Amino acid sequence: MKNLFPLILCLFLFTGHIQANDGYKLWLDYQPIEHAELEQTVSELFSGIYFYGENPSYDIIQKELELASQGFLNKMPSYSSERFQGANLWVGTREELSQFLGLEHQAKIKALGEEGYWRGTIIHEGKNYYALIGNSPVATLYATFDFLKSIQSNTFDGSIEKSDFQKVKLRMLNHWDNLDRTVERGYSGFSIWDWHRLPGYVDPRYIDYARANASLGINAVSLTNVNANAWILREDFVEKVKVLADIFRPYGIQVFLTARFSAPIEMGNLETADPLDKQVQNFWKERVDMIYEAIPDFGGFLVKANSEGQPGPHEYGRNHAEGANMLADALSPHGGIVIWRAFVYSHEIDEDRHKQANLEFEPLDGKFQDNVIVQVKNGAIDFQPREPFHPLFGAVKETNLGMEFQITQEYLGQATQLVYLGTMWEEILQSKTYRPTASNTVAGIIDGSDSKQNLTLMAGVSNIGTDRNWTGHLFGQSNWYAFGQLAWDPDRSAEEVSEEWIKLTFGQKAEVHSKIKEIMLTSHEAAVNYMTPLGLHHLMGRSHHYGPGPWVEGGRADWTSLYYHRADSLGIGFDRTETGSGALEQYASEISQKWTNPKQTPEKFLLWFHHLPWDYEMQSGNTLWEEIGLHYDGGVKTAREMRTQWRQLENQIDSARFSHVDQLLGIQIEEAEWWRNSSLLYFQTFADRPFPESIEKPEGDLEFYKQQRFPFAPGIRPNW
Ligand code: BDP
């Protein structure tokens, strides 16, 4: 066998050379170290690894170090069986290494919490050992990933100590994956959960998925769609879930499932799902016990109830707290939790849907059990290109609130357009809520520093699928990455995170960095401009949510684009001040009093809160109509500029990834033009004014743009 190795290596190198980079390896693509000095240091460290114990997480660390060593140095690492002799790199927990850490140092590491870690050099009897130390084996895995990232991004320095800890307890991906492997609002292929072949067949992807998440500190995953199918609670499905949970455990990832509220009727042969009914309570208790029998560290349930037609406690005259607490009671003996979504849209309510969550949840403040978290979308409408923060943040004091971001770009060009979401999330997280105290931010509520809640959560609706590069668009990976990093620390800067991702994904070249960073940091604003500038929202086509549809009529009165933009011959925008729906009053008075005046409302939210005349004077001195035109046109120009920048990198990026992104940027420009032209032509029918001189005049006629362009767009919710 041995003498075949050179041949295999040759083949590997050869195919490696011509093989395109398909993006599968994500940000964990350990490329050869280019700097001789760093290579020397890393080579020494990898030539004497000593593990202070044995456990499944250390097995994973070992595998990761081997992968990294092969990538960085093109050789396997060597291990030392003895901690001093021949050892250079120590891997262990704080307890395992306690004799080498002074009391003060131990206390400092301990204070970082269960998932906190420290890495740095320990000098013992004159010799240096580089140590990766966590407060738990999983935290040591986090230290390892951080150490490897520093090598990959050429920033490793043995003389610098680094410690870090999670600011949010649950850092969670929400998969909207159906049991038939379609993914609601998923644009990168099918679900990676192969339910049909589980539990017998274990797709190696499950492991790479877990590695990627652990490398970001993501520690929880809900496997199934919030529009839930009760079957996932069947014993045979739980056997399948168990396989995934067993794989994920040593990576520190806990599994959650979505619970369909009507499951007692659908699978328990009961006539009711009333949360106060004894039999219903027993049904859930038995299901939960069965799940914990198979998966002792099961996380709990994520629930969408009484929203968009999903069953819930309202059918029985009970409220959200009664529904959530019933499930919480079943889960609490096992340490499980309920994540109850505040995204509640009922068909009946025909007043401003912006207000519904606050109306339903504020009166229930203090009524939820301790093991319930209410998961709130970042804004009150629905993952729009830009929304002001959700007014529920800051409005309740005794309810655990968690954040729900959407990583999958349902309303932001899906997997076709390059839109870096880090900046959008940062804008939300850094928003001041002014409640309960003047300095409160959304981030401070999410991580508990302002809200003082113990159970904290940040969830992201996943953009992952079976596409070879996981996320459809290569840059979708940056959103998965940024989500993980902001969930770990909601105060991190989106710019810094983008720099990190670029280095890990594209290597070290300065021009590559600066150009890609520029593209990423301008991309969100560009998309907002060519889709829904100045606070406009929900102008997209009815079912696919991809292209423009500001003209869409019909269906439920509260679900049309017309309902949101309210354009007429006098003006445009949604009056949410007291002369309109009054939704603005759901914010703290510092905000509501100020923003009731359009002149004091940030212009990016202007038409979100105000209906204004076409000739309304903007800060620039332009009229509102002109400014709308300039924004749409500016968005198109930035999209073009993104491609110009990208094309300058042609010889510095491998051709596969270059061409993948280049082609998609081409489509993005066309879409941006389509959005601009159709929206401006449409709004002009109300405004009845000429386009501003300086913009490119929209071509074509409106009827052309109104044709159904995306009848078979992916990810559309069935039966809706
Ligand atoms: C909307 C999606 C829909 C989801 C819903 C939700 O269009 O597919 O079911 O959110 O979050 O954005 O429940």
Side-chain angles (χ1 to χ4, degrees):
M1 251 332 244
K2 259 197 178 142
N3 49 3
L4 276 181
F5 184 66
L7 176 68
I8 294 171
L9 186 72
C10 273
L11 275 174
F12 174 74
L13 288 178
F14 180 64
T15 48
H17 183 67
I18 51 164
Q19 212 173 49
N21 185 335
D22 58 16
Y24 180 81
K25 292 183 182 169
L26 298 161
W27 47 87
L28 300 172
D29 188 1
Y30 305 120
Q31 289 291 318
I33 301 176
E34 285 170 16
H35 298 259
E37 208 180 311
L38 180 64
E39 189 189 348
Q40 175 66 24
T41 311
V42 174
S43 181
E44 266 164 35
L45 293 178
F46 279 49
S47 70
I49 303 171
Y50 179 75
F51 281 90
Y52 271 78
E54 276 179 34
N55 62 64
S57 297
Y58 289 0
D59 294 342
I60 285 165
I61 295 178
Q62 182 176 342
K63 278 192 209 129
E64 203 62 35
L65 290 173
E66 285 173 5
L67 258 179
S69 180
Q70 282 164 312
F72 291 151
L73 308 166
N74 196 20
K75 64 179 184 201
M76 284 293 274
S78 10
Y79 301 95
S80 166
S81 53
E82 213 278 319
R83 57 190 165 167
F84 303 126
Q85 201 76 49
N88 299 320
L89 180 65
W90 284 351
V91 182
T93 58
R94 173 182 42 83
E95 274 179 1
E96 287 163 346
L97 276 113
S98 57
Q99 54 179 301
F100 304 105
L101 306 166
L103 284 182
E104 210 180 301
H105 194 184
Q106 279 186 58
K108 266 197 192 153
I109 301 181
K110 191 169 182 191
L112 301 170
E114 178 75 8
E115 293 169 295
Y117 63 82
W118 176 91
R119 61 179 176 87
T121 298
I122 294 177
I123 305 173
H124 181 73
E125 293 184 348
K127 187 179 165 193
N128 284 2
Y129 301 90
Y130 195 76
L132 306 173
I133 304 177
N135 280 322
S136 59
V138 168
T140 309
L141 175 64
Y142 291 163
T144 307
F145 275 119
D146 190 61
F147 162 65
L148 295 176
K149 272 189 206 171
S150 74
I151 298 172
Q152 246 180 308
S153 54
N154 198 26
T155 54
F156 176 75
D157 179 346
S159 66
I160 294 175
E161 298 182 9
K162 162 136 190 223
S163 59
D164 204 358
F165 68 101
Q166 77 303 328
K167 313 287 185 303
V168 176
K169 192 170 158 56
L170 285 167
R171 308 170 297 276
M172 182 172 191
L173 288 186
N174 288 180
H175 288 262
W176 285 357
D177 294 15
N178 298 315
L179 301 186
D180 66 0
R181 295 193 79 175
T182 54
V183 180
E184 181 156 332
R185 309 304 179 187
Y187 312 103
S188 45
F190 287 92
S191 168
I192 58 173
W193 318 130
D194 189 352
W195 296 114
H196 177 61
R197 291 196 282 180
L198 278 166
Y201 178 72
V202 175
D203 188 328
R205 253 202 181 199
Y206 303 147
I207 293 165
D208 288 326
Y209 167 85
R211 285 175 57 224
N213 279 335
S215 77
L216 303 175
I218 289 173
N219 67 350
V221 44
S222 164
L223 300 172
T224 45
N225 193 355
V226 287
N227 296 319
N229 186 326
W231 280 19
I232 195 67
L233 306 171
R234 261 170 38 172
E235 217 154 345
D236 54 342
F237 268 92
V238 170
E239 279 313 304
K240 298 169 193 274
V241 175
K242 174 186 162 47
V243 172
L244 295 176
D246 289 344
I247 293 172
F248 297 163
R249 188 168 300 112
Y251 292 89
I253 300 169
Q254 243 188 330
V255 165
F256 287 70
L257 295 173
T258 49
R260 186 162 166 84
F261 206 78
S262 52
I265 302 172
E266 287 163 34
M267 57 197 312
N269 290 324
L270 298 182
E271 274 166 17
T272 175
D274 182 352
L276 301 193
D277 182 288
K278 272 271 154 326
Q279 282 180 299
V280 170
Q281 292 167 357
N282 279 339
F283 166 88
W284 284 109
K285 205 185 146 316
E286 280 164 20
R287 283 288 134 173
V288 165
D289 292 347
M290 177 270 285
I291 297 174
Y292 276 93
E293 183 92 10
I295 308 165
D297 57 350
F298 178 64
F301 293 135
L302 168 64
V303 188
K304 170 176 178 177
N306 292 122
S307 175
E308 299 184 323
Q310 293 298 308
H314 291 180
E315 274 94 277
Y316 311 97
R318 317 294 182 198
N319 62 36
H320 291 292
E322 287 165 318
N325 291 345
M326 180 267 298
L327 294 174
D329 284 339
L331 287 156
S332 74
H334 305 278
I337 67 166
V338 175
I339 302 174
W340 192 268
R341 297 178 80 228
F343 175 78
V344 283
Y345 278 174
S346 60
H347 299 164
E348 301 79 36
I349 290 203
D350 70 351
E351 69 168 332
D352 188 358
R353 54 196 271 192
H354 195 292
K355 290 163 64 176
Q356 198 178 337
N358 282 57
L359 288 174
E360 290 185 21
F361 284 86
E362 277 190 62
L364 301 177
D365 193 19
K367 302 226 159 69
F368 290 96
Q369 310 272 33
D370 288 347
N371 61 331
V372 176
I373 306 181
V374 173
Q375 179 170 300
V376 187
K377 286 190 183 180
N378 58 274
I381 295 297
D382 188 12
F383 297 137
Q384 292 306 290
R386 168 175 274 139
E387 298 198 31
F389 75 85
H390 199 301
L392 206 48
F393 292 114
V396 289
K397 292 196 190 75
E398 289 166 74
T399 305
N400 298 318
L401 290 189
M403 172 61 83
E404 178 175 321
F405 283 132
Q406 194 183 42
I407 312 172
T408 191
Q409 295 163 231
E410 175 181 353
Y411 292 97
L412 274 158
Q414 303 176 359
T416 305
Q417 301 185 29
L418 189 167
V419 183
Y420 173 56
L421 301 177
T423 42
M424 175 175 94
W425 296 332
E426 181 180 47
E427 180 177 295
I428 295 285
L429 290 165
Q430 296 311 320
S431 299
K432 280 182 122 184
T433 64
Y434 298 96
R435 292 187 296 200
T437 65
S439 59
N440 252 75
T441 60
V442 173
I445 292 170
I446 298 311
D447 68 16
S449 57
D450 287 331
S451 58
K452 306 293 173 230
Q453 64 189 58
N454 291 325
L455 203 50
T456 54
L457 159 77
M458 181 153 10
V461 179
S462 150
N463 60 349
I464 297 162
T466 50
D467 276 9
R468 184 67 192 159
N469 72 2
W470 301 84
T471 54
H473 197 303
L474 180 73
F475 278 75
Q477 297 182 358
S478 72
N479 292 329
W480 180 3
Y481 188 93
F483 168 77
Q485 296 298 284
L486 289 172
W488 178 265
D489 178 0
D491 283 320
R492 279 207 71 183
S493 118
E495 178 175 351
E496 203 182 281
V497 172
S498 76
E499 285 166 4
E500 213 174 85
W501 178 79
I502 297 167
K503 280 190 191 157
L504 300 177
T505 307
F506 292 104
Q508 309 299 329
K509 294 184 192 119
E511 196 195 352
V512 174
H513 282 194
S514 60
K515 292 229 153 68
I516 297 183
K517 188 168 129 182
E518 170 85 16
I519 293 173
M520 286 171 77
L521 295 184
T522 52
S523 60
H524 173 248
E525 202 63 48
V528 171
N529 281 335
Y530 63 69
M531 291 178 177
T532 51
L534 298 169
L536 289 170
H537 49 289
H538 227 299
L539 304 184
M540 25 301 276
R542 171 181 289 288
S543 54
H544 52 69
H545 293 170
Y546 177 71
W551 44 78
V552 173
E553 294 179 70
R556 287 175 293 269
D558 56 343
W559 285 79
T560 71
S561 300
L562 311 191
Y563 168 84
Y564 292 104
H565 62 67
R566 305 190 168 205
D568 54 27
S569 62
L570 300 178
I572 182 169
F574 197 135
D575 182 4
R576 292 196 163 102
T577 68
E578 52 187 0
T579 55
S581 78
L584 180 57
E585 282 151 58
Q586 292 184 324
Y587 288 94
S589 61
E590 284 88 339
I591 295 176
S592 59
Q593 281 173 15
K594 209 167 151 198
W595 294 6
T596 197
N597 176 354
K599 294 282 173 217
Q600 297 209 39
T601 307
E603 287 193 341
K604 60 185 175 187
F605 300 136
L606 194 62
L607 304 176
W608 189 279
F609 292 109
H610 301 281
H611 185 82
L612 295 169
W614 296 107
D615 288 330
Y616 171 84
E617 190 186 342
M618 302 289 287
Q619 273 158 25
S620 60
N622 296 322
T623 66
L624 173 59
W625 165 246
E626 288 165 340
E627 199 71 15
I628 290 176
L630 289 166
H631 274 75
Y632 270 107
D633 197 51
V636 171
K637 287 185 175 133
T638 312
R640 290 182 188 147
E641 181 54 28
M642 284 160 59
R643 197 186 204 191
T644 308
Q645 298 272 338
W646 182 256
R647 289 199 155 173
Q648 287 168 10
L649 300 176
E650 175 151 17
N651 300 320
Q652 305 193 55
I653 291 175
D654 56 279
S655 58
R657 290 188 300 178
F658 176 80
S659 136
H660 162 83
V661 174
D662 187 55
Q663 291 183 63
L664 291 174
L665 283 170
I667 303 180
Q668 184 162 356
I669 292 168
E670 277 172 30
E671 299 300 2
E673 288 167 351
W674 183 285
W675 267 97
R676 176 197 61 190
N677 295 352
S678 60
S679 307
L680 288 182
L681 287 170
Y682 172 73
F683 288 131
Q684 196 187 35
T685 63
F686 301 96
D688 197 20
R689 283 158 175 79
F691 294 112
E693 280 300 308
S694 60
I695 74 165
E696 220 174 84
K697 303 292 164 285
E699 282 170 21
D701 84 66
L702 187 55
E703 288 317 306
F704 166 73
Y705 289 105
K706 282 188 180 174
Q707 61 188 299
Q708 172 56 290
R709 196 166 167 232
F710 309 106
F712 303 113
I716 294 183
R717 172 171 35 187
N719 313 321
W720 184 249

